[in-house]
Amino acid sequence: MSRTNPYETQLDRNPANYAPLTPLLFLDWAADVYPDRVAVIDGERRFTWRETRSRCRRLASALARRGIGAGDTVAVMLSNTTEMVEAHFGVPMTGAVLNALNTRLDAEAIAFMLGHGEAKVLITDREFSATIGAALAKASARPVVIDVDDPAYAGPGERLGDKDYEALLAEGEAGYARTEPADEWQAIALNYTSGTTGNPKGVVYHHRGAYLNAIGNILTWGMPRHSVYLWTLPMFHCNGWCFPWTVAANAGTNVCLRRVEAGPIFDLIRRHKVTHYCGAPIVHSMLANAPAEMRAGIDHKVAAMVAAAPPPASMIEGMERMGFDLTHVYGLTEVYGPATVCAKQDEWASLDIGRRAERNGRQGVRYLLQDGMTVIDPKTMREVPADGETMGEIMFRGNITMKGYLKNPQATAEAFAGGWFHTGDLAVLQPDGYVKIKDRAKDIIISGGENISSVEVEEVLYRHPAVLAAGVVAQPDPKWGETPCAFVELKPDARVTEAELIAHCRAHLAHFKAPKKIVLGPLPKTSTGKIQKFVLREQAKSASAIDT
């Protein structure tokens, strides 16, 4: 005989006790509670939270008058400017989906994204008119184009649209009532993966995940109220790791930055007392290796968050010596950016800087609001033993995971096989439960039947005082099948030979792990500072063909 559950009877959801989670709530909270606090600093432009909400509502209202609503896509090709902050609220206020385009991509890739995402409106900065103009010429259908003419930008570029962004806002109503998501599972953003092989995949975020990861950033980083956040991280990258929404929830200040250069970064940190910023390892290395006079005068605490490739110990040590408090996170586009953190333990403070850097260089543990993350054998779908040796694949599951890939059910099913999101990153689970990446599955080098972690070789190269950046890939070898080939970018004015670097690696690694060849010169990087290993692999293959 079935029993009625009294807690589920006549206790139903209603408008008084339930609302879908959405990060749009954060803008209203900041504007209602701290209306006169500065929300955005963008060159000479300043906007309070009251003004920012008004501008976002005007944007939403103007878009809605053009028929934009649920299920529609609004693409933006913007730098880290006021307009990009506003798009993260104004576009989803209509019920539409925000597609932030990578400003470093070529016209063909942009044209594909505009077509695949079926963008109805494109908001684009004049700086990118050459790429956008060529992309629109290739696109199957032309969206409505809105031009942004940033007063801080004086470079080349032309207007491509029929309307200027500020004129668009003037059409809208400051009192526009946003369209609430019908369900928190409703899409809020579309982000494309890099697409190094074939067309990129469109990763779809939902309101619930964006809300939770925005809050998770505050909890993970221990951000105090009214933090001052510098936009070194591109907002087109995983929606800036959800920090446009985080800063609103924090009632903080967005300090905008068009280009990532050491001088302007230090100037803004000094001038505006920046408390937090994020970036790939290359950004932090650039700051740690900047001239001492450039870093002078910063006497307040600065918290830095690093992600992308595992940060080398030398970079972590350099940031500590500079007095910046570094937090290491890990994630992918499919999990809204960072979804794990190397949570620091009190006892690490007593370790020497080298051992402390080793602890802080791990990918760590799941974010508080992510349900699950561990290392799993993809064949058995069982968690690997926490022995620091057995390799498996990092997998996630929970609310901070994408809805799936747009119009790609096969890729979605493969990514979610077995009830976990498969990252493709190989790692070990250490005895304390922390995850440590060993490599991407495609980056493991198999030499004479032995597995070589490219990350391990890179970490040794980074210990050399002349090395600024390093990437290690497999190079075909007639005897061993493949061997490590290293590409190294040196610090300014540094001098070292290929033979010296190989000897350095042999002194710290088993000889079969040391690179047989090292190429010196600038490394190809993505717009977020990641080293493009697929480019290096092709260069290594070409070099091997020449050698043979």
Side-chain angles (χ1 to χ4, degrees):
M1 177 174 150
S2 61
R3 175 179 175 271
T4 301
N5 183 345
Y7 294 103
E8 300 299 332
T9 304
Q10 298 178 337
L11 297 172
D12 299 321
R13 297 182 187 183
N14 65 74
N17 67 15
Y18 174 82
L21 299 181
T22 171
L24 302 181
L25 294 169
F26 304 146
L27 177 60
D28 277 337
W29 181 84
D32 287 342
V33 181
Y34 300 103
D36 297 321
R37 291 198 68 89
V38 175
V40 180
I41 297 173
D42 186 0
E44 298 303 314
R45 296 191 287 178
R46 301 285 190 281
F47 297 103
T48 64
W49 280 110
R50 177 192 287 113
E51 292 168 331
T52 294
R53 176 170 62 179
S54 175
R55 288 173 61 84
C56 293
R57 285 176 170 177
R58 288 184 182 277
L59 172 59
S61 174
L63 290 173
R65 288 181 178 183
R66 283 165 169 72
I68 300 301
D72 293 329
T73 303
V74 175
V76 297
M77 184 80 160
L78 300 171
S79 294
N80 285 351
T81 59
T82 297
E83 294 79 10
M84 187 61 136
V85 175
E86 294 168 356
H88 277 79
F89 295 95
V91 171
M93 275 184 185
T94 68
V97 175
L98 174 66
N99 175 208
L101 300 168
N102 186 329
T103 60
R104 299 283 185 87
L105 295 179
D106 59 24
E108 185 172 352
I110 296 296
F112 169 80
M113 294 172 184
L114 292 175
H116 186 262
E118 300 179 44
K120 289 192 174 181
V121 174
L122 169 62
I123 302 173
T124 179
D125 193 296
R126 183 169 58 84
E127 179 181 0
F128 311 115
S129 61
T131 300
I132 291 297
L136 291 173
K138 296 174 181 288
S140 55
R142 182 185 176 94
V144 174
V145 178
I146 306 297
D147 291 304
V148 171
D149 199 355
D150 182 359
Y153 176 68
E158 60 181 326
R159 294 186 176 184
L160 302 172
D162 302 322
K163 182 74 67 173
D164 173 77
Y165 182 84
E166 292 299 328
L168 178 72
L169 262 59
E171 294 178 2
E173 298 178 5
Y176 175 82
R178 71 168 182 264
T179 300
E180 298 288 348
D183 187 291
E184 57 194 25
W185 182 247
Q186 183 174 315
I188 188 172
L190 170 66
N191 291 291
Y192 283 92
T193 59
S194 57
T196 55
T197 55
N199 287 324
K201 297 190 288 289
V203 176
V204 181
Y205 291 173
H206 45 72
H207 282 253
R208 178 181 180 84
Y211 176 101
L212 292 173
N213 214 32
I215 293 296
N217 285 332
I218 294 175
L219 297 174
T220 297
W221 221 356
M223 295 178 73
R225 180 79 71 216
H226 310 314
S227 295
V228 181
Y229 183 85
L230 176 62
W231 276 107
T232 47
L233 175 76
M235 273 185 255
F236 65 68
H237 184 51
C238 308
N239 297 107
W241 299 352
C242 295
F243 273 94
W245 301 309
T246 293
V247 177
N250 181 262
T253 300
N254 296 277
V255 180
C256 295
L257 179 71
R258 282 190 76 94
R259 287 182 177 80
V260 178
E261 298 171 344
I265 288 174
F266 285 120
D267 287 344
L268 290 172
I269 290 175
R270 272 189 297 267
R271 187 185 319 162
H272 302 300
K273 296 296 182 184
V274 167
T275 60
H276 294 75
Y277 76 92
C278 299
I282 190 68
V283 175
H284 303 287
S285 292
M286 174 186 68
L287 299 180
N289 289 294
E293 59 271 18
M294 192 178 285
R295 306 194 305 260
I298 298 174
D299 55 7
H300 65 282
K301 180 181 178 181
V302 179
M305 186 176 277
V306 60
S314 60
M315 185 272 287
I316 295 175
E317 291 174 13
M319 295 298 290
E320 281 203 12
R321 292 192 182 99
M322 196 165 61
F324 284 25
D325 183 23
L326 193 68
T327 296
H328 180 207
V329 295
Y330 159 79
L332 304 91
T333 303
E334 289 87 344
V335 290
Y336 296 70
T340 80
V341 58
C342 188
K344 298 175 183 177
Q345 302 292 335
D346 292 343
E347 55 268 27
W348 297 356
S350 61
L351 301 175
D352 63 67
I353 192 168
R355 294 174 65 197
R356 194 161 62 248
E358 184 277 326
R359 297 287 197 284
N360 289 328
R362 298 178 295 173
Q363 285 58 54
V365 296
R366 68 185 182 277
Y367 257 36
L368 176 62
L369 300 181
Q370 179 69 300
D371 290 13
M373 184 279 299
T374 191
V375 181
I376 293 176
D377 183 328
K379 293 180 180 178
T380 64
M381 290 304 293
R382 294 178 179 172
E383 186 177 69
V384 302
D387 57 10
E389 297 291 337
T390 307
M391 279 207 294
E393 184 177 356
I394 298 178
M395 298 190 192
F396 287 92
R397 67 179 176 193
N399 293 300
I400 310 174
T401 307
M402 66 173 179
K403 292 185 71 168
Y405 297 115
L406 183 67
K407 303 176 186 175
N408 198 336
Q410 181 178 345
T412 299
E414 291 172 356
F416 291 148
W420 289 84
F421 167 64
H422 297 239
T423 66
D425 284 329
L426 301 182
V428 296
L429 194 60
Q430 298 192 322
D432 61 358
Y434 280 54
V435 166
K436 171 70 173 177
I437 281 184
K438 288 298 183 181
D439 226 326
R440 290 287 295 173
K442 61 188 176 185
D443 290 336
I444 283 288
I445 302 164
I446 304 175
S447 184
E450 296 284 352
N451 286 355
I452 301 173
S453 165
S454 66
V455 172
E456 182 182 4
V457 182
E458 288 162 4
E459 286 179 343
V460 169
L461 284 166
Y462 275 114
R463 291 181 203 166
H464 195 284
V467 174
L468 176 65
V472 175
V473 297
Q475 182 175 43
D477 184 272
K479 180 177 181 180
W480 303 108
E482 55 188 27
T483 55
C485 176
F487 293 80
V488 171
E489 185 173 332
L490 301 180
K491 295 176 182 177
D493 302 322
R495 297 288 184 271
V496 69
T497 66
E498 177 187 13
E500 288 170 338
L501 286 176
I502 290 176
H504 168 77
C505 290
R506 283 174 169 260
H508 295 88
L509 292 166
H511 282 198
F512 77 90
K513 294 183 179 182
K516 290 182 65 176
K517 184 177 183 62
I518 295 181
V519 180
L520 302 178
L523 299 186
K525 303 179 186 73
T526 68
S527 54
T528 57
K530 293 181 182 178
I531 294 170
Q532 294 177 309
K533 284 200 170 181
F534 71 96
V535 175
L536 299 183
R537 278 191 287 271
E538 291 303 314
Q539 293 178 3
K541 287 179 184 177
S542 299
S544 177
I546 293 171
D547 291 342
T548 56

